[in-house]
Every structure is written in structure tokens, then in C-alpha cells.
Amino acid sequence: MADRTETPDEQMPVASRRQFLRGGSALVGGAAVSAVASGAALAESSQGSNLPPNVPEWMKAPGDPVGSQLYGTPSPFEKKVARNIPKSGDPIFWTSSRTPLQDLDGIITPNGLFYERHHSGVPAIDPAEHRLMIHGLVDNPLILTMDDIRRFPSESHIYFLECSGNPGFKKPYGKTASDLVGLVSCAEFTGVKLSLVLEEAGLRREATWIVAEGADAAALTRSIPIDKCLDDALLVYSQNGERLRPQQGYPLRLFLPGFEGNMSVKWLRRLHVVTEPVYSREETSKYTDLMSDGKAREFTFYMDAKSIITHPSGGQRLQSPGFHEISGIAWSGRGKIKRVEVSVDSGKSWQEAHLQEPVLTRALTRFRLPWRWDGSPAVIQSRAIDETGYTQPALADLISVRGDNSFYHNNAIQPWRIAADGEVTNANA
Amino acid sequence: MADRTETPDEQMPVASRRQFLRGGSALVGGAAVSAVASGAALAESSQGSNLPPNVPEWMKAPGDPVGSQLYGTPSPFEKKVARNIPKSGDPIFWTSSRTPLQDLDGIITPNGLFYERHHSGVPAIDPAEHRLMIHGLVDNPLILTMDDIRRFPSESHIYFLECSGNPGFKKPYGKTASDLVGLVSCAEFTGVKLSLVLEEAGLRREATWIVAEGADAAALTRSIPIDKCLDDALLVYSQNGERLRPQQGYPLRLFLPGFEGNMSVKWLRRLHVVTEPVYSREETSKYTDLMSDGKAREFTFYMDAKSIITHPSGGQRLQSPGFHEISGIAWSGRGKIKRVEVSVDSGKSWQEAHLQEPVLTRALTRFRLPWRWDGSPAVIQSRAIDETGYTQPALADLISVRGDNSFYHNNAIQPWRIAADGEVTNANA
């Protein structure tokens, strides 16, 4: 079959495929036996239709009709795949829910599983009543309706969004990829370039910052440098094709690609053009980091390069030695992922993983590495390198620079420990 | 502001932006007046917080807590955005539901709105009980569990999927983009290359076709040429990150990029490797086209290049003359979209639309054209050109080649009529 199976394969180098196939016999040995058995059964049951034996119950009667779900939902067998919220404590104090990264494939996060983070709950906004005011250092202050905003030229981009506290900076708690870095998701966002709307408002030359305010009960407020506002900032109204979900800022949110998530102000109602940052609650009491010298880092906008292996990952179990694909996600707020390296020997050596195309700027990038597990204990981990040349650091290296008072912007390498019985756990716990 | 607003804009050529801005004053004239008024009100209400007047009710108390939706749903204000099913007749005879293309942005179709087409309802399959049998011209017949299949190396790709009867071939009925071509959707699919699984099964040299069978009550069956099976065919288990929805073949479907949708057999249970097509019900009584000479076209695999303007489109209304962005989707089963041309003068002249990056093979491509509507009646339409050089035809040209007995593979240009009052209707109706 060599001639036939050597047809061009853009997705996996031949060497990798060979490596898989060496593991393959171990993989399907059992299945092959049962297949031979059922091959015999097959001969007996070959009554014209040549159906395999054991026609399942669900083939014996028509299933659910079309239109039983005008808006579809997942299979009941997948109900464990849900957003991850704190296991204890008073729900009134919960402020985030995490994406179940270990249960997802590819780079797109379905809207129903996109992570949540809000400071005063999710407002129920009537889009017909919603307004965006643009005032301050502009020649023509504007109050725009959603219809006004949707009449501007639009753009669509696949971008990641990540909370800056993902996870906290102390020794990372949590068992699963979702527990640890589930405050990152990725979707296709559609909206209007903020620069176009500012041009319409007649932005004045002296403007240097824009203060964005949300229409939630916290009136979440952040100051944004004018350069970002005139670069790739968007006023977003759609996510993965449909209108924003309420948890994501319906009907309108600011979106700042690559910046910490809280700056992409949800339920956006006001843009105040000014010359100084406002030093709001969310840029003083929160979203700053106390350094060892007593000074605080503030306005830490960019989410630096980061990655995590989602399979195998904490809470999963390898059923047997042999071939397993290592797969995960990588991202950088500074641009495209250039390379992801994976170690399966506690960091002694690193191999370059395959990056799934398309590799997009400021989007999740799926990486994969074929691996044969020999059944002995192992520690596996990944590190991302972005197009600026920056390499994702180890936790100890990050602490040596930031000290141990920091909470935000932990982009450290996450190692997973695999036990002899195949159980996968957080090697930092 | 010229210096500032001339910052690089990769998404829209400057000429287009200028064209928009000329229309812009008309766009926000009214809004600007109200802004000046509220600017005054603003001064009065500036009590430190500098909040604009009319703080909405939803800012006065905390909103829904985190975790009120572990799997999220759209805003109640968007409940009209749903899959489109026949308005009349007995639901038992409905066999498809359409994606509301006119309400969506970008290229990703959310899983809850992905079109449905099935022949005997949606089976409720327990993934632990599901099996895929591979038999016939293979050295090692296999029966694989979902766990077996998920251990193979995986790939992810953003692809469109389209029913070949989208719409029927006679004068297209229907008012909206969804009524007319809502049997097309696009998502990120993850699965295993079929070629890898066939290699594992020891595919024999004499194999030329594979017969795929679904585990629905129709046991939908299609014959697939071996070349496609060894090229980009996938065994898919995830869509937009999460597991397939039941309506899309949960837990496993075949996916044949660019081929008519029914061949991407859902609820896949069997692959029979043979030397002849099986001439199943779905490739004889259905999915063939009777030509004028009495012969029938069969095995019409590829979905040829096609496009449709989704905004403005049938059922929508332009509120006023001035700037409107024309936006739509284009796709080709033969590869990438190379160019989309738009006419706003009943086909007398055509302009090249802007294509939103990334332009991916066998995926939807979003196109946009800035347009100033002068308020007089107009007919607008789009035509797609793919990388093979093929150009989407007019309906009359298609009928002249296929005759008027055909039903499937209507990829004709869809014109929309815009009346003086802004109402948009199907110009073919």
C-alpha cells in the first residue's frame, strides 16, 4: 500500500505518521481481533443488505424530527462538558466561569462555553435602548444606537481573549487545564474599527487616552492608550457568527486584541476621550501587581506568549501504553505563534510540535506531537515562542523577576505528571 | 486629523474608507444633533462621576450571577434568530432546517444554527455503544470504538458544508437568504484522516470505492471514490471545538470537504471497501439530475463556486439612503475563492469586493463592498470566482446547460431587488 498511502499529507510529516503507525499495532490489536470475530458473524448475517451484526436500537425507528431544536444544544451524553465554576463558596461571590479546555478540540470555543468574568453580574440589556456615547476631545460628540453602529463598515477576526488572572500567580492550584488556565477562549469576532468611529466623531489631535465604561452595575471602567484605539481596536457586536451572548457584553463590547480581557469592556456605553488615564478601580485596586521593591506594575496591557497541553492533561487517564497524540493550545498577545516545543522527559529535551494551519495573529493556535508512552512515569509540558522571539518562561523564572506578591499575568509553563497507571495530575500542585 | 486617521488599515482600502466617510455625514447627522443636546445635559449631570444622563435600569442593581448558565444561550432579544423550517405542512415531512444567513456575520456558523438535513430523523446514540466497522477489501477488518478513533492523530479545518438541493433548481422560491440558500453552513471540524485509518486496516490495492453507511433509521448509504478517501476525507467527532451535535452525526461523521453534504455520512457506522459503487437509494432515486436528453447526471460530487449577498437581503429594509455596507458569503467545493464581484446596477457593471482574511480552501469567505444607496430602485447581486477560474453563472445560463428537469446543484447568482422605500425582495420570485 506504500504507493497509495504516500499521497500528499499536508497535516502530518511522514516521519510522524510512521511513528504513529509503529504504535498503531499496539493501538488496534484488540480491535482487530474483535473485527475478525465479527467478520465471521458478518458472513452469517449477510442477508443481501450485508449489515453488520447487532443493528443498534436507534436504527430501528425514526429519530427526532427536523425542527425539534430551532436552536440546537449538545447531546445529553456531553452534559459534563460545561463551564467550570468554583466547587464551593457562596455563588454570589463567584466572578468567573472557565472554559473546559481539556474537553475541546481545534481553536474555536463554542459561545456556550466561552469563559465568563464579570464584576457585578450580567445585565439584561434591550439593544433598542442601548446607546454608545463618544465625548470629550472630539469635534462632534456622538450618541450612537446599535443600528447606527451596524451601518459602519465591518470586519471579522478570529482572536483569543484571556483574563489576566489566569491562573493566579502563586503556586497554581487546580487539577485540570480548565481549573488552571480556563479563563482563555477564542472566537470569530465581528464589529467596527474603533478608529473609523473616532474619525466620524472628529478626534482631536491632543487626545492621548480613551476611558471606556461598561453598562453593568459595576460601570467597569478602563483607560486605553490612543494608539491601541487607532490600531486594531474593535467595537464588537457578533461572536462566532451570531450576536454576542449576554455574558460577553451583548449588545456591544470593546475588543482590544492581545490585551488583558478586562480592558475589552463589555456592555460598552461610553468612550470619554481625554489626555490622562482615569486611574479607575479596575486599574488601581485590581489589575496591578505589587513587586518586591514595593512598587506596583500598572497598565500591564499585553498577554504574553503562553501554551498548555490539553491532552493528556490533569484529570485524564491514559488507558494503556503505546501511541498517544499530545495536543494543546498556544497564543500570544504580541502576534502570531512561531513555534511550540514539547518535552516528555521533565524538561531535559524539547521537540518541535506541529502547528495546525491557519496560524493567526492573536488567536489560539492548536499544536500536536505524536508520542509513544512506554508506560513509565513521565512529566510532559509545552512552551510557546511567538513571532517577537519571546519564549514562555518556567514558573520559577517568572517568580524570580516578578517576586511572589504578583497575582496577574502568570504565563508560566504548565507541567503534567503521568503516573505508571496512566493518571495525569498537575505537576505544580 | 488626516495624519492620525491615515494609520495603516489592513482591512479596508483607503479609497473605500473615503467612500464610506462621504456617506458618513448623512449617517450620523441625526445622532450628532442628539449628542449636542445630551452634551448640554451632560454638563449639568457632571457630578464628579461624569456619567451621561439617563443611567439605564440595568446599571442600578447587580445582574445575573456567574454560572447561571453553565452552557450559555443567546440573549432573549435574539430569539427570532433560529433555524428556519417550513412554515406549513406536517412536521413529519420536514427533512431540513436552514441557517439564518441574513442574521449572521463572519464565516463561522454557531453549532446551534448549523443547518440540518436528515432522511429519517436524528438518532439518539450512546457514544460508548457506537462502533465503526471497516471491512471488505482490507487485510485487517476493524471494529473501532470512539476511544479507538480518538487515539489516532487528529486534524482541524474550517470547512463549509452544503446540501446539493440548495435551493431547488426551478425558479427559486423563498423570500430570505435563508429560504434560498440556508442549507449551507461553516464550522471548524476536528477528526482523523480517513487515509490513516484505512492504512491501519491494510487497504488492498484493488479497492476503488468505499461504501459509507450511517446509523440512522434510513441507514443512509453513499459510495465514495477511493481517491477522495485517501485525499482530505476525515472521520469527524468535533465541530467548533465541542463534540458534534446529534443533528450533525454525533458521535461520528464522515466529512468530504467540498462534496455535496449528503455524502458526508452522519452517525457513521460502516465503511465497506469495494470495487464498484453500490447505487444506493441516495445515489439513484435522489441526488441525480434528469437532463433534457433523458439521461441522468449521477455522482455529482463537487459543490461549485457560489455566493450570496446577506446584507442587504430579502426581508430586510434599508432605513434611509446613504452609506450601506454590502456583505455576503462565497464558497467553492473546488478550493479557495479567488474573487467576488458585486453589481449594484442590475448586472450592467461589476465591482470587485473586499475578501476578509483568512481566505481558506473549501470554507465560507466573507466579502464586503462599501455602497452609497441614492434611494432609487436597484438590483444588487454577487458572483464568485474560485481559484480554478470558474465563475458562478446566471440562472438562465445554468438552465440552458442543465435543462429544466434538474433539482440539485443550483449555484446560480441570486439577485435582490431594492425598492424606493428600501424594502429588499427576491428579484427571481
Side-chain angles (χ1 to χ4, degrees), chain B residues 14-318:
Chain B
V14 169
S16 305
R17 208 173 60 197
R18 292 272 84 78
Q19 179 174 351
F20 158 65
L21 290 168
R22 284 200 305 278
S25 55
L27 160 59
V28 296
V33 172
S34 61
V36 170
S38 69
L42 182 66
E44 298 161 22
S45 75
S46 298
Q47 306 298 339
S49 82
N50 198 24
L51 277 176
N54 309 324
V55 173
E57 284 310 307
W58 48 76
M59 289 186 76
K60 295 176 180 173
D64 284 349
V66 159
S68 56
Q69 287 190 323
L70 293 187
Y71 193 98
T73 55
S75 163
F77 290 102
E78 297 297 324
K79 62 174 173 300
K80 71 175 196 324
V81 180
R83 288 190 283 214
N84 169 11
I85 55 177
K87 303 295 182 295
S88 63
D90 184 337
I92 200 67
F93 296 114
W94 296 346
T95 62
S96 63
S97 69
R98 297 175 160 77
T99 295
L101 299 173
Q102 66 281 356
D103 297 318
L104 301 184
D105 297 301
I107 64 170
I108 296 292
T109 309
N111 290 343
L113 297 174
F114 205 93
Y115 85 87
E116 291 177 88
R117 169 72 172 106
H118 29 78
H119 296 67
S120 198
V122 180
I125 300 182
D126 178 349
E129 299 298 318
H130 188 70
R131 298 291 183 273
L132 172 64
M133 165 179 276
I134 300 156
H135 66 121
L137 297 173
V138 294
D139 293 332
N140 325 303
L142 300 175
I143 291 181
L144 301 176
T145 65
M146 288 307 301
D147 286 345
D148 293 333
I149 289 164
R150 289 186 59 83
R151 278 191 68 175
F152 280 80
S154 62
E155 296 183 6
S156 302
H157 302 275
I158 295 174
Y159 286 134
F160 79 83
L161 187 72
E162 182 182 19
C163 178
S164 57
N166 185 41
F169 205 93
K170 300 298 175 82
K171 172 171 274 205
Y173 64 93
K175 295 179 175 177
T176 68
S178 179
D179 293 338
L180 288 158
V181 300
L183 296 178
V184 65
S185 301
C186 184
E188 182 192 38
F189 294 95
T190 298
V192 179
K193 272 192 92 108
L194 177 54
S195 61
L196 264 184
V197 177
L198 292 173
E199 184 171 4
E200 198 69 21
L203 185 67
R204 292 190 190 151
R205 208 174 279 278
E206 59 268 33
T208 51
W209 292 79
I210 293 185
V211 178
E213 177 185 82
D216 58 337
L220 187 140
T221 299
R222 285 299 312 252
S223 311
I224 301 136
I226 198 72
D227 289 351
K228 184 67 172 181
C229 298
L230 296 176
D231 179 13
D232 58 0
L234 293 174
L235 301 178
V236 161
Y237 43 75
S238 289
Q239 177 178 324
N240 288 337
E242 67 188 0
R243 298 290 183 272
L244 287 169
R245 298 290 178 87
Q247 294 81 1
Q248 300 307 323
Y250 181 83
L252 185 69
R253 84 177 301 165
L254 183 62
F255 198 94
L256 304 179
F259 277 22
E260 56 182 27
N262 71 85
M263 298 182 71
S264 287
V265 176
K266 297 188 285 189
W267 315 294
L268 184 69
R269 72 185 298 253
R270 191 156 71 110
L271 295 169
H272 191 201
V273 183
V274 294
T275 59
E276 299 284 342
V278 73
Y279 293 100
S280 71
R281 175 183 60 233
E282 290 78 22
E283 48 206 31
T284 52
S285 75
K286 286 191 178 301
Y287 305 119
T288 61
D289 289 311
L290 183 61
M291 307 292 283
S292 307
D293 62 3
K295 292 186 177 164
R297 298 169 74 228
E298 61 183 9
F299 302 121
T300 48
F301 302 137
Y302 283 97
M303 300 307 293
D304 278 316
K306 189 167 174 178
S307 69
I308 187 165
I309 293 171
T310 55
H311 182 273
S313 66
Q316 299 174 344
R317 185 185 217 89
L318 301 183

Side-chain angles (χ1 to χ4, degrees), chain A residues 193 201 364 376-377:
Chain A
K193 275 193 89 112
L364 292 188
S376 58

Side-chain angles (χ1 to χ4, degrees), chain A residues 147-193:
Chain A
D147 286 344
D148 293 333
I149 289 164
R150 287 187 61 81
R151 278 190 67 174
F152 281 81
S154 62
E155 296 183 5
S156 301
H157 302 276
I158 296 173
Y159 287 133
F160 80 83
L161 187 72
E162 183 182 19
C163 178
S164 57
N166 185 41
F169 206 93
K170 301 296 176 86
K171 171 171 274 204
Y173 64 92
K175 295 180 175 175
T176 68
S178 180
D179 293 338
L180 288 157
V181 299
L183 296 178
V184 65
S185 301
C186 183
E188 182 192 37
F189 294 95
T190 297
V192 180
K193 275 193 89 112

